[in-house]
Amino acid sequence: NKYGPLYRMAVAIKKKLHLFEFIGEYVHLKEMMLPDSACALSWFQNNIIVGYRREYTLMNDESGDVLELFSLDSRTSKPLIKLLPGEELLLGSDDLGVVMDFTALP
């Protein structure tokens, strides 16, 4: 890449997810439909982790395949997503935290 490191950005607007890549400027790659408005996002390699008010999902940015990770209690606060070293995730809310890898195994 003659522009240096690869930068990608995912933007959720209502029930759509827009994917961009920086190639000297941000270029729109694709638009993906979501079942609900996203509250939290994180993108790692080909995996997009989406936190909704009531659940977490793992989306493949190439195929569009979606895997439901787990549901949240509707009374909890907004979902939180943190990428950890070793290709693991910390997913949580106020009173719950789950560490898992990108195969959805805890």
Side-chain angles (χ1 to χ4, degrees):
N1 181 347
K2 69 179 185 176
Y3 298 107
L6 175 67
Y7 296 102
R8 299 185 301 176
M9 177 173 58
V11 178
I13 302 173
K14 298 187 181 184
K15 292 185 178 186
K16 293 182 182 177
L17 184 63
H18 298 271
L19 306 181
F20 298 87
E21 184 174 84
F22 187 80
I23 307 170
E25 63 183 67
Y26 277 101
V27 176
H28 189 262
L29 297 175
K30 68 167 63 172
E31 179 180 294
M32 301 171 80
M33 297 304 294
L34 299 173
D36 198 359
S37 296
C39 298
L41 294 171
S42 191
W43 194 356
F44 180 76
Q45 295 179 354
N46 292 349
N47 300 295
I48 301 171
I49 304 87
V50 184
Y52 302 99
R53 286 178 298 197
R54 297 176 191 216
E55 69 177 337
Y56 286 98
T57 61
L58 182 64
M59 298 179 70
N60 183 291
D61 68 356
E62 292 178 349
S63 67
D65 291 343
V66 177
L67 175 65
E68 184 177 326
L69 299 176
F70 61 89
S71 297
L72 294 170
D73 184 352
S74 63
R75 296 179 306 247
T76 62
S77 66
K78 69 179 185 172
L80 305 170
I81 301 170
K82 175 68 177 163
L83 292 174
L84 301 173
E87 298 186 9
E88 291 185 316
L89 299 163
L90 173 61
L91 306 176
S93 61
D94 282 344
D95 58 352
L96 172 71
V98 176
V99 176
M100 61 177 43
D101 63 17
F102 288 97
T103 63
L105 297 173

